[in-house]
Amino acid sequence: MDLDALERDLVGQVGQAGDEAALEAVRVAALGKKGSVSELLKTLGAMSPEERRERGPLINGLRDRVSGAIAAKREALAEAALEARLKAERVDVTLPLREAPQVRGRIHPISQVIDEITAIFADMGFSVAEGPDVETDELNFTALNFPEGHPAREMHDTFFLAPDHLGKRKVLRTHTSPVQIRTMRAQEPPLRVIIPGRTYRHDSDQTHTPMFHQVEGLVIDRSANIANLKWVLEEFCKAFFEVEGVTMRFRPSFFPFTEPSAEVDIQCSRKGGEIRFGEGTDWLEILGCGMVHPNVLRNCGLDPDQVQGFAFGMGIDRIAMLKYGMPDLRPFFEADVRWIEHYGFRPLDVPSLVGGLTA
Ligand code: PHE
């Protein structure tokens, strides 16, 4: 048996072993119970004392060098594995701390104001109804008592969709009033609903955007009247603006779907381009309202001799601007993160009448 050749072979295999498992296989093949070196050690027992004195140190020396090589290799492999892990799991401690979503996130003022409005009207016994943004001409205009070709249809600066196969053009609803019709056709009076949602008109300046938000109100029962309407609007404004009294101005107006009709302005100041609520000599129009027109009731299968009611449509964006002192409507819809960080609300500041609308 050529001990030098065996040693070279084993040390070579140790050097080749690429990981712990391969190294262990080499160790078992050499130093395990049936390993090549172990078998050599067993031959010592059968030797004569002279022979053992000569071969013993050689075989033992071989065993020591091979196990030494294995131990050294094991250490090298462990070191390399640690090195690789450290590289892969590196943590950059200089990175800034990332805040949790509930700390970092912001609720858009429109969403917040819709929640405020809903809380106030829910307290007065109103429920919430909804309708689609893409509406039929029938519901947006005809059922609301707009005669065909009536100039009021043009006054709405309507966005029309391409005609369908029957030549009918749908519209982007110009107000939330079509949901009055949907509600009256679907539910029996007495009705008390508010309808918040997106509305669209071809218009754009500091206080107009092509998409804006309205909240419609509708009350239908046997006796709902103008006094009730005024009370509801005044109570709403006091609760919403969180003041003891509000200066409101009811101006006679015209809407095809209400009779009589009024527009309501709220006192404000516009000094230095900033809209401020509760002071000044300017007025900001915030809503249209009136008693539901008998034709509209009839269009919904209701008998104007049995039921009556009032409706209003309020600009949500306008009252949000007023309450929170936001001078320009356009950035509402520009998704500028600096704006939302300044004007947005914390996600857990949920408005409620008991907890306070604005914490
Ligand atoms: N829909 C009207 C508008 O958008 C507002 C309104 C609603 C007026 C309900 C009267 C009654 O201008």
Side-chain angles (χ1 to χ4, degrees), residues 156 174-175 177 180 201 214 216 255 257-258 288-290 311-313:
H156 273 208
T174 58
H175 48 182
S177 301
Q180 283 190 35
R201 289 182 203 178
Q214 284 190 338
E216 192 84 7
F255 301 103
F257 38 95
T258 47
C289 61
F312 56 87

Side-chain angles (χ1 to χ4, degrees), residues 113 116-117 120 236-242 319-320 323 357:
V113 163
E116 292 180 15
I117 294 169
I120 296 167
F236 167 77
C237 282
K238 281 193 281 182
F240 180 75
F241 291 108
E242 299 173 80
I319 62 171
K323 179 167 180 178
L357 283 187

Side-chain angles (χ1 to χ4, degrees), residues 146-154:
F146 285 78
E148 296 288 348
H150 190 281
R153 290 188 186 225
E154 266 103 80

Side-chain angles (χ1 to χ4, degrees), residues 20-319:
E20 289 272 353
L23 185 62
E24 179 61 9
V26 176
R27 190 194 66 79
V28 170
L31 303 172
K33 253 197 192 134
K34 295 234 160 64
S36 50
V37 177
S38 306
E39 293 295 339
L40 275 175
L41 285 166
K42 280 181 207 157
T43 61
L44 288 176
M47 287 178 192
S48 63
E50 296 78 38
E51 207 182 351
R52 192 181 304 138
R53 207 173 297 129
E54 187 215 327
R55 295 284 287 169
L58 293 179
I59 297 175
N60 278 317
L62 165 65
R63 194 230 9 236
D64 291 347
R65 286 189 297 278
V66 169
S67 59
I70 288 172
K73 180 71 178 183
R74 179 160 292 144
E75 207 166 300
L77 283 175
E79 224 161 81
L82 181 63
E83 192 82 5
R85 204 174 138 201
L86 284 176
K87 222 175 225 168
E89 296 179 4
R90 198 165 77 188
V91 176
D92 185 350
V93 293
T94 67
L95 277 179
L97 194 66
R98 208 171 288 162
E99 288 170 302
Q102 66 270 29
V103 176
R104 184 113 181 79
R106 287 291 177 274
I107 302 292
H108 195 285
I110 295 294
S111 306
Q112 187 80 5
V113 163
I114 289 176
D115 288 349
E116 292 180 15
I117 294 169
T118 307
I120 296 167
F121 281 109
D123 191 57
M124 292 196 250
F126 285 71
S127 53
V128 175
E130 280 182 320
D133 290 13
V134 175
E135 192 50 284
T136 61
D137 189 275
E138 203 261 323
L139 289 174
N140 195 77
F141 293 121
T142 315
L144 285 165
N145 200 36
F146 285 78
E148 296 288 348
H150 190 281
R153 290 188 186 225
E154 266 103 80
M155 270 164 53
H156 273 208
D157 299 311
T158 312
F159 287 113
F160 291 95
L161 276 72
D164 64 12
H165 62 289
L166 298 170
K168 288 204 192 256
R169 293 184 305 180
K170 285 204 168 158
V171 301
L172 291 179
R173 65 178 179 192
T174 58
H175 48 182
T176 41
S177 301
V179 193
Q180 283 190 35
I181 307 292
R182 290 178 175 272
T183 306
M184 284 188 272
R185 285 181 180 174
Q187 295 172 37
E188 292 284 319
L191 295 175
R192 255 186 232 157
V193 292
I194 55 161
I195 303 143
R198 277 188 277 270
T199 47
Y200 305 83
R201 289 182 203 178
H202 194 283
D203 210 349
S204 183
D205 62 32
Q206 199 176 341
T207 51
H208 296 84
T209 49
M211 188 277 291
F212 58 107
H213 297 81
Q214 284 190 338
V215 58
E216 192 84 7
L218 176 68
V219 173
I220 302 285
D221 59 25
R222 301 185 67 87
S223 63
N225 55 44
I226 288 213
N228 304 147
L229 166 64
K230 275 192 83 171
W231 182 86
V232 164
L233 292 175
E234 272 171 19
E235 287 303 305
F236 167 77
C237 282
K238 281 193 281 182
F240 180 75
F241 291 108
E242 299 173 80
V243 291
E244 295 292 316
V246 231
T247 319
M248 299 167 83
R249 183 168 79 172
F250 284 73
R251 276 182 291 109
S253 186
F254 172 81
F255 301 103
F257 38 95
T258 47
E259 179 58 36
S261 304
E263 279 175 322
V264 176
D265 306 330
I266 201 156
Q267 188 189 34
C268 68
S269 102
R270 295 189 198 236
K271 259 188 266 149
E274 199 183 338
I275 296 198
R276 279 173 181 282
F277 163 75
E279 54 182 82
T281 50
D282 288 311
W283 298 92
L284 188 73
E285 183 197 321
I286 59 161
L287 67 92
C289 61
M291 297 302 295
V292 177
H293 196 291
N295 286 349
V296 174
L297 294 172
R298 279 188 208 100
N299 289 340
C300 300
L302 296 173
D303 179 354
D305 292 328
Q306 296 298 319
V307 292
Q308 62 182 34
F310 58 83
F312 56 87
M314 186 155 46
I316 293 178
D317 320 77
R318 292 283 183 86
I319 62 171

